[in-house]
Amino acid sequence: MNRRHFITSGTLCAGALSLVPANAFSSTSAISIYSIGHGFNALSNLIHHTSVGALSKKLQEAHKELSKVLDDKGYNYDGSEVVKFSNNCFAVPLSKEPLLGFKSKELALLIEHDGDYKHYILNEKTSKTFSSLVENYTLNSSNNGLNLDAVDFITPIEVLNVSTGRINIVVYKNKSGNTITLRSSNKNQVVLVN
């Protein structure tokens, strides 16, 4: 191969790659929901990975809007599937590579309420708090000989409040009507159930 042909083909190849949208490559560095926290391992038989193409049209549109936000913020995720907690709640595991430090492991939730889907991005600390809720609930259930549905308990059906800052707070209602508060900061993680 002569030098001129090599340079021309390399330039054309690089130009073609620049025309491909960045989210087409997002699935190559996606993370699993099970790597976010040990709690999600307890749900491995209860939650399902679902192809985005198999979702309703309304949910596909909500996922497309979420994808735009995730791409703008520089997240890595699998753009071809979601994790189904319930018919009204879907999760997208996320990761982000900062300039310095380790890759973050976060979670985006798509939640349907009153016919509309809204998305919420749980930062790494809040995602770990959510995972610890799952872990503690399943451990307490099995230690007390109870066969409780962990997915129904932890799955949000309505988000009441989200605030970020030094302390991140997510307050939501579950299927049983409990109000669950996930509170996380650099120093601690707290889950309150009312």
Side-chain angles (χ1 to χ4, degrees):
M1 178 188 287
N2 67 28
R3 183 174 172 206
R4 186 202 245 147
H5 180 68
F6 177 76
I7 291 172
T8 304
S9 63
T11 304
L12 289 174
C13 183
L17 283 175
S18 68
L19 296 175
V20 177
N23 63 354
F25 299 112
S26 61
S27 62
T28 59
S29 55
I31 64 166
S32 166
I33 192 165
Y34 306 114
S35 69
I36 291 175
H38 298 295
F40 293 114
N41 292 329
L43 301 179
S44 62
N45 294 332
L46 304 172
I47 57 177
H48 310 285
H49 289 77
T50 306
S51 168
V52 171
L55 302 175
S56 70
K57 188 172 184 172
K58 194 169 201 174
L59 187 52
Q60 284 182 21
E61 290 171 6
H63 184 270
K64 192 174 184 179
E65 288 177 27
L66 172 61
S67 294
K68 288 178 188 175
V69 172
L70 297 178
D71 291 339
D72 288 345
K73 293 186 176 186
Y75 282 104
N76 298 315
Y77 62 98
D78 186 343
S80 64
E81 70 176 25
V82 294
V83 179
K84 180 180 179 181
F85 285 138
S86 72
N87 289 333
N88 301 340
C89 182
F90 298 85
V92 178
L94 311 171
S95 67
K96 193 182 232 184
E97 294 185 36
L99 294 175
L100 299 171
F102 298 101
K103 183 187 292 189
S104 70
K105 297 175 182 176
E106 303 178 30
L107 195 64
L109 297 175
L110 278 168
I111 301 171
E112 184 267 332
H113 182 68
D114 291 334
D116 288 328
Y117 280 95
K118 292 186 179 179
H119 65 266
Y120 304 92
I121 299 173
L122 306 181
N123 68 13
E124 186 168 28
K125 289 176 181 40
T126 307
S127 297
K128 285 182 181 178
T129 306
F130 189 50
S131 175
S132 69
L133 168 66
V134 176
E135 187 172 13
N136 289 328
Y137 187 81
T138 54
L139 281 174
N140 286 333
S141 176
S142 65
N143 288 344
N144 292 312
L146 302 171
N147 189 17
L148 300 174
D149 190 343
V151 176
D152 275 354
F153 182 78
I154 62 108
T155 302
I157 62 163
E158 178 184 3
V159 175
L160 303 174
N161 183 24
V162 175
S163 65
T164 57
R166 262 188 7 220
I167 298 175
N168 299 297
I169 299 173
V170 176
V171 182
Y172 69 89
K173 282 195 180 260
N174 67 6
K175 189 176 182 179
S176 304
N178 301 103
T179 301
I180 298 175
T181 303
L182 307 174
R183 184 178 297 152
S184 62
S185 68
N186 288 336
K187 295 184 180 180
N188 59 19
Q189 300 170 356
V190 177
V191 177
L192 302 170
V193 180
N194 295 332

